[in-house]
Amino acid sequence: MARVFHATAGSGRSAARRAPRTEPAPAPSAPGRDRGGIVAGYLAPHPPHLVYAENPPQNEPRSTGGWEVLRWGYEELRRRLKQHRPDVLVVHAPHWITMVGHHVNCVPNPRGVSVEPIFPHLFRYHYDFRTDVDLAEAIVDEGAKAGLVTSGLREEGVRVDYATIGALHLANPDWDIPVVSLSANNNPYYYSDASLAEMETLGAATRAAIERTGRRAVLLASNSLSHLHWDTEPELPEDMSVERPFDHHQYAGDMELLRVVREGPTSRLRDAIPAHIEATSSETKAGSLTWLLAAMGWPAIAGEVLAYGTVIATGNAVVEWVPS
């Protein structure tokens, strides 16, 4: 049945509108110090345990720490983020799942409590942030122009998913930078052999909207890597004596992907990401990482791995790409 989803995702009408590509989209020019454009992209995984371990005031549960190596990687990400001086953070996360098309949060000031459904004892987070509505609406528009089924979420009071909140908190706990958040279409998330081509189209549309609005943007792909995990947890969730990879095969798959990341260029990841999905049940099947790299124009650079670690056995890496 999964073969059905090898067809171009979206409705028949959207497929008819989508003009066939005869050549790759041109790579974006690097933004100047004060010009708009994508200034950096980060693989920014969202395990709720990392937020829990930091004990921010917004999160109700309290911890004694844990997962320090990944948290140190996020500390370095935050330091670099300040140097990039972005106008906006644009995040694509796998747990805002939409059944039809791609949705963009256009609510000016989302507020509420985000609860992780499997770990509510770790993540009950009170959020209150600003959306860059102009950019959000531009992404909806550019996605539609590219033939995608896109929708703007404009309903106040809709709860923001924990993957979006987790990645945004870990990247910028001050919440002093406006945000645009994008949904994960149901098709690539549930079918590991589905084509990621539509995520490339969404990435190009995101880049077009950023350049059209003149924003200095940092992109966050909120994916873990290998995604097999334990079905029980220790009495103390932050007990690091039980934290390890699910098995050697999952760990080896992550190391192979990160080898390609560190060697570059990013174009090699076009083949490496699907292979990693097949080998490890990787969460990159949600398309966030492909979206990020496509938005950056698959630059001929290597990524810098700031940290790698496991959370309940899943592989997680914090990685930076900065276009030259």
Side-chain angles (χ1 to χ4, degrees), residues 9 42 112 128 131 166 170 181 202-203 233 236-237 246 271 300 313 321:
Y42 292 95
D128 183 345
T131 297
L170 291 164
S181 60
L202 181 64
E233 66 178 0
L236 183 69
F246 188 85
D271 293 326
W321 289 270

Side-chain angles (χ1 to χ4, degrees), residues 6-7 24 84 102 107 117 135 155 173-174 212 221 263 272 278 310:
H6 282 232
H84 293 312
H102 308 273
V107 177
L135 176 57
E155 299 297 323
D174 294 334
R212 180 176 121 190
E263 290 177 356
E278 199 66 30
T310 62

Side-chain angles (χ1 to χ4, degrees), residues 48-289:
H49 304 65
L50 302 184
V51 176
Y52 164 72
E54 293 200 339
N55 289 318
Q58 300 98 321
N59 197 39
E60 294 177 13
R62 300 288 93 185
S63 82
T64 61
W67 303 279
E68 277 76 11
V69 173
L70 279 166
R71 290 165 51 210
W72 293 338
Y74 264 112
E75 286 180 8
E76 177 61 16
L77 185 159
R78 295 167 192 164
R79 185 188 69 79
R80 297 181 183 205
L81 184 68
K82 291 184 183 298
Q83 294 178 340
H84 293 312
R85 300 187 298 106
D87 301 317
V88 63
L89 303 179
V90 186
V91 59
H92 187 281
H95 294 300
W96 178 14
I97 299 174
T98 49
M99 302 300 290
V100 178
H102 308 273
H103 294 217
V104 185
N105 192 338
C106 297
V107 177
N109 181 201
R111 288 171 290 178
V113 181
S114 184
V115 180
E116 211 284 7
I118 301 176
F119 299 101
H121 59 300
L122 304 184
F123 192 94
R124 298 190 301 277
Y125 189 101
H126 296 255
Y127 61 88
D128 183 345
F129 63 90
R130 293 173 295 137
T131 297
D132 185 333
V133 176
D134 288 345
L135 176 57
E137 295 285 4
I139 293 174
V140 174
D141 182 50
E142 292 292 341
K145 285 181 182 177
L148 300 175
V149 176
T150 55
S151 299
L153 173 66
R154 303 180 182 89
E155 299 297 323
E156 298 281 352
V158 176
R159 180 180 290 176
V160 180
D161 67 285
Y162 81 91
T164 296
I165 296 298
L168 289 169
H169 170 88
L170 291 164
N172 182 39
D174 294 334
W175 292 93
D176 56 353
I177 303 171
V179 167
V180 174
S181 60
L182 284 70
S183 77
N185 179 257
N186 176 61
N187 171 12
Y189 185 73
Y190 279 112
Y191 295 94
S192 63
D193 61 348
S195 171
L196 294 173
E198 184 156 341
M199 300 309 298
E200 295 209 34
T201 305
L202 181 64
T206 302
R207 179 176 73 239
I210 289 168
E211 293 175 348
R212 180 176 121 190
T213 55
R215 300 297 197 264
R216 287 178 57 84
V218 165
L219 307 186
L220 304 176
S222 180
N223 284 150
S224 293
L225 297 181
S226 61
H227 212 241
L228 295 182
H229 51 77
W230 311 127
D231 57 7
T232 58
E233 66 178 0
E235 183 176 348
L236 183 69
E238 56 266 38
D239 181 356
M240 291 294 99
S241 69
V242 299
E243 185 60 79
R244 57 186 173 84
F246 188 85
D247 58 29
H248 177 68
H249 177 78
Q250 297 287 298
Y251 175 78
D254 285 349
M255 291 305 103
E256 175 59 22
L257 183 72
L258 292 178
R259 180 185 66 79
V260 178
V261 166
R262 296 175 67 217
E263 290 177 356
T266 62
S267 59
R268 293 176 60 202
L269 290 166
R270 272 195 167 112
D271 293 326
I273 290 171
H276 182 254
I277 291 170
E278 199 66 30
T280 68
S281 300
S282 174
E283 198 177 35
T284 58
K285 64 185 176 181
S288 304
L289 181 56

